[in-house]
């Protein structure tokens, strides 16, 4: 999933590109992806040929594959589309920080239980899991946090402003509703345990309060690994402060 976002322009939607790769579990000539209020512009094959698609059902994107696939056959296609930026705390949404309005517009995702389809077309079912990559370009004063490991953070310049493109990748399969995206100016505090980073991304005014939570989280890690005899399986553990978050908290991968 990749897109560019300028929070200072207060956009009402985001224009994005999604690439999907997979394998046919059975013979396959077309497939359907869940979507919610997305405006699909095009669907193309790996060799950039336009594919026939239908949004006759506004909750489904039906794609005709360029050729029928046998069981186990690979597919790869890309989708250009636009998604709404919401004010309700679901899908991809915008908030401001009442304790620090100067942070500007802040953007987060909340996909449980079936709202990933509000940001990108997908098989939005918890039982179906996939590896994920998120690539987002924002002005340099904004941070981008997502699942997995940070692959790169590349600076650029556009219209006399500094930007950067941040690339996150999670190479262990997980459910669509557990994908997380956070775009905001953050302060960061962090510690390490057994080579993995435990971090908190918060407003600068909350840094000292978060140090207690960071220490508690690290102690909890040590306890649960001993108690469950199971090492923490993911590349990192990050806690992100979402101002005014309606749900109180959310567990993402």
């Amino acid at each position: 999933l990749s897109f560019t976002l300028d929070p200072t322009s207060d956009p009402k939607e985001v224009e994005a590109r999604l690439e999907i790769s997979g394998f046919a579990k059975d013979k396959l000539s077309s497939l359907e992806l869940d979507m919610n209020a997305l405006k699909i512009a095009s669907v193309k094959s790996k060799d950039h040929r336009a594919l026939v698609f239908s949004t006759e059902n506004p909750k489904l994107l039906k794609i005709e594959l360029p050729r029928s696939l046998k069981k186990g056959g690979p597919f790869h296609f890309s989708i250009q589309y636009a998604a709404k930026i919401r004010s309700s705390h679901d899908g991809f949404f915008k908030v401001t920080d009442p304790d620090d309005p100067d942070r500007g517009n802040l953007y987060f995702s909340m996909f449980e239980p079936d709202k990933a389809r509000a940001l990108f077309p997908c098989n939005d079912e918890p039982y179906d899991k996939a590896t994920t990559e998120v690539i987002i370009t924002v002005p340099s004063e904004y941070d981008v946090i997502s699942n997995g490991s940070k692959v790169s953070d590349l600076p650029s310049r556009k219209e006399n402003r500094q930007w950067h493109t941040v690339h996150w990748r999670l190479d262990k399969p997980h459910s669509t509703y557990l994908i997380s995206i956070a775009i905001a100016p953050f302060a960061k505090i962090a510690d390490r345990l057994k080579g993995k980073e435990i971090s908190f991304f918060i407003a600068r005014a909350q840094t000292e309060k978060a140090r207690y939570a960071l220490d508690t989280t690290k102690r909890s890690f040590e306890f649960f690994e001993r108690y469950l005899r199971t090492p923490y399986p993911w590349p990192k553990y990050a806690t992100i402060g979402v101002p005014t978050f309606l749900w109180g908290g959310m567990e993402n991968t």
Side-chain angles (χ1 to χ4, degrees):
L1 171 66
S2 59
F3 60 83
T4 296
L5 180 70
D6 183 0
T8 63
S9 67
D10 195 18
K12 300 300 182 285
E13 63 180 23
V14 59
E15 295 184 356
R17 172 185 171 88
L18 181 73
E19 292 192 38
I20 296 182
S21 299
F23 296 90
K25 295 183 71 174
D26 294 295
K27 185 177 179 181
L28 192 67
S29 59
S30 66
L31 53 82
E32 291 180 335
L33 299 175
D34 298 304
M35 68 175 198
N36 182 356
L38 302 180
K39 294 188 289 189
I40 308 298
S42 67
V43 182
K44 294 184 178 180
S45 64
K46 191 173 184 178
D47 59 2
H48 306 295
R49 284 186 295 166
L51 300 183
V52 175
F53 68 91
S54 170
T55 56
E56 184 177 352
N57 180 341
K59 294 185 177 180
L60 289 175
L61 169 61
K62 184 174 182 179
I63 300 170
E64 302 293 336
L65 298 177
R67 57 183 176 81
S68 293
L69 296 176
K70 297 179 180 179
K71 183 178 180 179
F75 60 82
H76 180 106
F77 53 86
S78 62
I79 305 168
Q80 295 284 155
Y81 67 98
K84 290 182 179 178
I85 297 174
R86 298 163 178 246
S87 55
S88 58
H89 291 196
D90 59 64
F92 186 61
F93 64 93
K94 178 189 74 173
V95 298
T96 55
D97 187 345
D99 296 324
D100 188 358
D102 290 341
R103 294 176 75 194
N105 294 329
L106 318 175
Y107 298 84
F108 300 95
S109 64
M110 171 59 178
F111 294 152
E112 188 179 10
D114 59 356
K115 297 296 192 300
R117 66 189 73 181
L119 180 59
F120 55 91
C122 56
N123 190 35
D124 202 9
E125 297 288 348
Y127 68 82
D128 192 14
K129 304 184 191 305
T131 61
T132 56
E133 296 188 57
V134 172
I135 305 169
I136 298 177
T137 301
V138 292
S140 59
E141 62 269 25
Y142 279 78
D143 300 298
V144 178
I145 316 299
S146 190
N147 311 78
S149 302
K150 186 186 288 188
V151 177
S152 60
D153 188 343
L154 302 177
S156 60
R157 190 167 181 82
K158 182 170 63 173
E159 297 174 352
N160 295 318
R161 294 174 65 192
Q162 291 296 125
W163 294 66
H164 65 144
T165 301
V166 187
H167 182 175
W168 291 91
R169 179 170 62 213
L170 183 56
D171 55 11
K172 290 186 177 184
H174 63 146
S175 303
T176 48
Y177 84 98
L178 295 175
I179 295 171
S180 177
I181 297 171
I183 301 171
F186 288 114
K188 177 185 177 182
I189 60 171
D191 204 339
R192 299 192 74 82
L193 182 65
K194 297 181 180 177
K196 293 188 176 181
E197 184 177 87
I198 301 171
S199 55
F200 276 69
F201 294 89
I202 61 277
R204 294 194 182 280
Q206 306 298 328
T207 302
E208 290 308 312
K209 288 183 180 180
R211 293 193 188 281
Y212 170 77
L214 176 62
D215 180 64
T216 304
T217 301
K218 185 175 180 180
R219 292 168 186 260
S220 300
F221 257 68
E222 294 169 330
F223 169 79
F224 281 115
E225 287 195 333
R226 286 197 311 270
Y227 183 75
L228 299 172
R229 303 178 193 175
T230 302
Y232 181 71
W234 306 104
K236 68 167 185 295
Y237 186 98
T239 297
I240 300 170
V242 183
T244 72
F245 190 46
L246 173 64
W247 308 105
M250 170 60 193
E251 74 292 350
N252 296 297
T253 313

